[in-house]
Amino acid sequence: MTVEEHGEQEMSFIDHLEELRWHIIRSLASILVFAIAAFIAKEFVFHDLILAPSRADFYTYRKLCELGEYMNSPGMCIQKLNFTLQARDMSGQFTTHMTVSAIIGLILAFPYTFWEIWRFIKPGLYPQEQKNSRGAVFFVSLLFIIGLLFGYYVAAPLSINFLSSYTIDPSITNEFDLSSYIDTLTRMTLACGIMFELPMIAFFLTKAGIISSEFMIAYRRHAIVVILIIAALISPPDVLSMTIFALPLLGLYEVSILISNIVRRRDLKRLNKSTN
């Protein structure tokens, strides 16, 4: 082994900090680039993306109308959302523009940011651990994107429609603050993106020997209670929104049990081959 190879394998604490610093800088730079791009594309970001679920011609509402016609259930068709948006603060729209741009920058840069983090962590793993975690960046990014799409096209619009159509008296009109609407939209969308990572979390925890499919099955009832609590905390305060969050989480928990079982079987087969 040469001195250079030995230096690459045994880095000092300061060298690790320097490497981590550059990974963080590159990650923040990617977020900043996407945030600036989102800030410049103001019309598309707000009219076609952020405010789209507030209009009756949104994709989800149109598909619900088509489903209602097919099922002969006109009540499923959403003709109008009974609310208007307004900005009460003088700097409200500018602040919202900045905040939304930063959130979109974070979302778009997520795959690259995770890749940078993974590049820092990967050299510290054993060769077998590196082999087992192959494709981690792809699957983590894929599940995050699927979760975002579910939140944007299913969870958020259904909750927005329910909350805007709920009235305690016909004389009261719904005039929501822009920040309240965007908070609901982004919170539900990002929460779905994060909760869809549950199968990958189960995969890594099983590989680490922390959990197993038997463990997850034994504590399924406890997990259901925890899922319901999480759904109640991250969703708006209504039963429909909580249900929209809880059902996918329950499904993902069952998928995680299946993944954990597959991982353990493969590890046992590999162990048996090595001993034989």
Side-chain angles (χ1 to χ4, degrees), residues 139-180:
F139 288 108
V140 167
S141 301
L142 178 64
L143 289 173
F144 182 70
I145 292 171
I146 293 174
L148 288 178
L149 293 175
F150 175 84
Y152 181 73
Y153 285 104
V154 179
L158 292 181
S159 294
I160 289 171
N161 175 63
F162 173 79
L163 294 173
S164 63
S165 61
Y166 188 88
T167 58
I168 55 177
D169 190 88
S171 63
I172 303 175
T173 58
N174 288 325
E175 296 178 351
F176 301 142
D177 192 78
L178 179 62
S179 60
S180 176

Side-chain angles (χ1 to χ4, degrees), residues 82-141:
N82 299 316
F83 71 94
T84 57
L85 293 175
Q86 55 184 341
R88 298 177 184 272
D89 297 328
M90 184 172 291
S91 60
Q93 294 197 47
F94 178 75
T95 303
T96 299
H97 191 187
M98 295 286 289
T99 303
V100 169
S101 298
I103 293 173
I104 292 178
L106 180 63
I107 291 173
L108 294 179
F110 176 82
Y112 178 79
T113 301
F114 184 78
W115 179 68
E116 284 287 350
I117 296 172
W118 182 247
R119 285 178 61 199
F120 177 75
I121 296 174
K122 188 177 179 181
L125 302 177
Y126 291 108
Q128 186 62 39
E129 292 174 335
Q130 293 184 12
K131 183 179 178 181
N132 292 336
S133 57
R134 189 176 299 166
V137 175
F138 172 78
F139 288 108
V140 167
S141 301

Side-chain angles (χ1 to χ4, degrees), residues 8-243:
E8 287 178 0
Q9 292 185 2
E10 296 185 6
M11 297 174 63
S12 67
F13 179 72
I14 300 299
D15 292 333
H16 279 294
L17 286 180
E18 178 67 16
E19 185 178 358
L20 176 61
R21 185 173 73 91
W22 280 107
H23 283 298
I24 293 174
I25 289 174
R26 286 192 291 267
S27 299
L28 293 176
S30 66
I31 295 172
L32 181 61
V33 169
F34 282 113
I36 292 173
F39 187 86
I40 295 172
K42 178 177 68 173
E43 183 176 354
F44 169 77
V45 168
F46 282 92
H47 183 270
D48 298 330
L49 193 64
I50 300 298
L51 298 177
S54 68
R55 299 189 297 269
D57 61 350
F58 185 58
Y59 177 83
T60 303
Y61 304 142
R62 288 190 281 110
K63 291 303 176 182
L64 282 175
C65 281
E66 294 176 6
L67 181 62
E69 292 177 1
Y70 177 78
M71 298 178 61
N72 195 23
S73 179
M76 295 179 62
C77 191
I78 299 171
Q79 300 290 346
K80 181 183 178 182
L81 283 89
N82 299 316
F83 71 94
T84 57
L85 293 175
Q86 55 184 341
R88 298 177 184 272
D89 297 328
M90 184 172 291
S91 60
Q93 294 197 47
F94 178 75
T95 303
T96 299
H97 191 187
M98 295 286 289
T99 303
V100 169
S101 298
I103 293 173
I104 292 178
L106 180 63
I107 291 173
L108 294 179
F110 176 82
Y112 178 79
T113 301
F114 184 78
W115 179 68
E116 284 287 350
I117 296 172
W118 182 247
R119 285 178 61 199
F120 177 75
I121 296 174
K122 188 177 179 181
L125 302 177
Y126 291 108
Q128 186 62 39
E129 292 174 335
Q130 293 184 12
K131 183 179 178 181
N132 292 336
S133 57
R134 189 176 299 166
V137 175
F138 172 78
F139 288 108
V140 167
S141 301
L142 178 64
L143 289 173
F144 182 70
I145 292 171
I146 293 174
L148 288 178
L149 293 175
F150 175 84
Y152 181 73
Y153 285 104
V154 179
L158 292 181
S159 294
I160 289 171
N161 175 63
F162 173 79
L163 294 173
S164 63
S165 61
Y166 188 88
T167 58
I168 55 177
D169 190 88
S171 63
I172 303 175
T173 58
N174 288 325
E175 296 178 351
F176 301 142
D177 192 78
L178 179 62
S179 60
S180 176
Y181 167 82
I182 291 179
D183 177 70
T184 300
L185 178 65
T186 55
R187 179 153 51 101
M188 298 194 71
T189 303
L190 288 175
C192 287
I194 294 171
M195 75 180 188
F196 267 64
E197 298 293 345
L198 183 59
M200 286 303 296
I201 295 173
F203 173 83
F204 285 114
L205 292 179
T206 303
K207 280 292 184 182
I210 298 175
I211 64 171
S212 64
S213 57
E214 291 81 5
F215 175 85
M216 297 180 72
I217 292 172
Y219 286 90
R220 181 186 275 125
R221 293 181 180 178
H222 302 79
I224 292 174
V225 174
V226 173
I227 286 172
L228 291 176
I229 293 174
I230 293 174
L233 290 174
I234 64 178
S235 64
D238 64 274
V239 177
L240 177 63
S241 299
M242 189 182 76
T243 304

